[in-house]
Amino acid sequence: MGLFERYLSVWVALSIVAGVLLGQGFPALFSMVASLEIAHVNLVVAALIWVMIYPMMIHVDFSAMKDVGKKPKGLALTLIVNWLIKPFSMAFIAWLFFDVLFARWVDPQSASEYIAGMILLGVAPCTAMVFVWSQLCNGDANYTLAQVSINDIIMVFAFAPLCALLLGVNSIVVPWQTLLLSVFLYVLIPLSAGYLTRKILGSNGVTALGRTLKPWSIIGLLTTIVLLFGFQAEVILSKPHIIVLIAIPLLIQTYGIFALSFVAAKRLRLPFNIAAPACMIATSNFFELAVAVAISLFGLNSGAALATVVGVLVEVPVMLSLVYIANRNQHRFI
């Protein structure tokens, strides 16, 4: 492992601190960067995600994609957890904490909005960053792409009904611009670039290029962390107690879903390069979509929007910890 990988937890911690300090010291700069967005998709973050995802996309072998269907257990695990377990467990945990355990510290109106924001996170499975987590676990690039693609197709049809059911509202207006633009930016563009690179360089050239690009992928990840925490520096410093209250059930949900998926993957006897990405996909969230829906339903300054933002802040460092846990337990798999 290189310098970045060996001390990744240290770099992440420093990036979080740097993001908060820079966001507090240069709020105008971060506000300008945050304004560079289309349909709630920040273009600077999108570019950084390209830097992270591209090294994995060059390893996608389209000729081998046909073999993914021969290993359906990993796909089944991801879909069952994402659509039949995770949304309902998130709704239950959110209700348990904000309607019961935290009731004395949070007023009922704010509690209901925090619950709504957490539910929106639970119903939106990840599209982009999961490629990064898979790469850090040496996941099967072809299989990860298939899992993400199937999730995206299901999300088009299932996201709105599930949100309406769990939020208790009559209908949900899906922000199609956010959904489709995210898939275009985070999947189609880097996948196309990876395909062209593979076609031009061949497998040997791609292997050498992958080694060269790997440090840049980590740099892109750390820069993204700095930006995400810089964007929300004012909220973090002005409402630390609320951030903590929202983060606690989100952490329990995330680690709980990962543990469930990890045990299930072991019982299904999945190979590690399929099991690890399956667990990451089942655990992570599509935060751009959740934020967009929270803002459209409840408003920019609502508790629901704040809860989705806390989900963004929690996700990256927590998912990196799960990558570490998965890699440390690789020997338990085939």
Side-chain angles (χ1 to χ4, degrees):
M1 291 200 307
L3 180 67
F4 283 118
E5 293 91 340
R6 188 177 297 115
Y7 299 106
L8 186 56
S9 59
V10 176
W11 307 134
V12 169
L14 291 175
S15 297
I16 291 172
V17 173
V20 175
L21 294 178
L22 290 172
Q24 185 70 7
F26 305 95
L29 174 62
F30 279 86
S31 295
M32 181 195 71
V33 175
S35 67
L36 301 175
E37 64 174 30
I38 300 174
H40 300 287
V41 177
N42 187 272
L43 299 180
V44 178
V45 173
L48 290 171
I49 289 178
W50 291 340
V51 173
M52 290 184 273
I53 290 177
Y54 174 66
M56 182 178 183
M57 291 302 194
I58 64 177
H59 294 293
V60 173
D61 183 1
F62 281 86
S63 65
M65 286 295 291
K66 62 181 182 298
D67 296 328
V68 170
K70 298 176 182 177
K71 307 170 186 175
K73 290 182 180 179
L75 291 172
L77 173 62
T78 301
L79 297 180
I80 289 171
V81 173
N82 264 336
W83 297 106
L84 298 180
I85 297 175
K86 183 179 170 184
F88 302 97
S89 64
M90 179 69 92
F92 173 74
I93 289 174
W95 167 83
L96 176 64
F97 276 85
F98 282 102
D99 266 3
V100 181
L101 301 179
F102 293 163
R104 70 178 68 179
W105 298 305
V106 182
D107 65 90
Q109 177 62 32
S110 296
S112 65
E113 292 186 1
Y114 298 150
I115 291 171
M118 292 173 63
I119 288 173
L120 290 173
L121 284 169
V123 182
C126 188
T127 291
M129 293 294 287
V130 72
F131 290 109
V132 181
W133 316 138
S134 179
Q135 181 188 22
L136 292 174
C137 292
N138 294 316
D140 185 318
N142 299 322
Y143 208 94
T144 301
L145 176 61
Q147 289 171 304
V148 170
S149 300
I150 293 174
N151 260 316
D152 287 343
I153 293 171
I154 293 175
M155 186 155 40
V156 170
F157 299 99
F159 178 79
L162 263 178
C163 285
L165 172 66
L166 293 173
L167 293 177
V169 298
N170 292 328
S171 62
I172 297 289
V173 178
V174 177
W176 292 108
Q177 281 186 310
T178 302
L179 178 56
L180 297 178
L181 182 63
S182 296
V183 173
F184 178 73
L185 290 178
Y186 296 150
V187 180
L188 294 181
I189 288 181
L191 181 62
S192 300
Y195 171 77
L196 291 175
T197 303
R198 191 175 184 86
K199 193 168 185 179
I200 293 170
L201 297 182
S203 58
N204 292 333
V206 160
T207 301
L209 179 62
R211 286 195 295 267
T212 303
L213 292 176
K214 193 170 184 179
W216 288 101
S217 181
I218 301 298
I219 290 171
L221 174 61
L222 297 177
T223 307
T224 301
I225 294 172
V226 171
L227 280 182
L228 293 178
F229 279 83
F231 291 158
Q232 304 301 329
E234 183 179 350
V235 174
I236 293 170
L237 295 176
S238 63
K239 301 179 179 179
H241 62 293
I242 296 298
I243 301 296
V244 171
L245 290 181
I246 297 173
I248 290 172
L250 286 177
L251 289 172
I252 292 174
Q253 160 78 2
T254 303
Y255 283 108
I257 288 294
F258 178 81
L260 173 67
S261 304
F262 207 70
V263 171
K266 180 72 171 61
R267 292 289 180 87
L268 291 171
R269 300 182 61 79
L270 296 178
F272 182 77
N273 66 345
I274 290 177
C279 295
M280 300 301 164
I281 295 171
T283 307
S284 54
N285 302 308
F286 187 176
F287 51 78
E288 294 92 345
L289 183 61
V291 170
V293 176
I295 292 173
S296 66
L297 284 177
F298 300 96
L300 179 61
N301 298 313
S302 65
L306 177 61
T308 57
V309 166
V310 176
V312 177
L313 300 178
V314 167
E315 170 139 339
V316 177
V318 168
M319 291 304 299
L320 285 168
S321 74
L322 295 180
V323 167
Y324 174 80
I325 292 171
N327 286 335
R328 289 279 294 183
N329 288 275
Q330 182 174 350
H331 63 281
R332 299 180 185 275
F333 290 82
I334 300 173

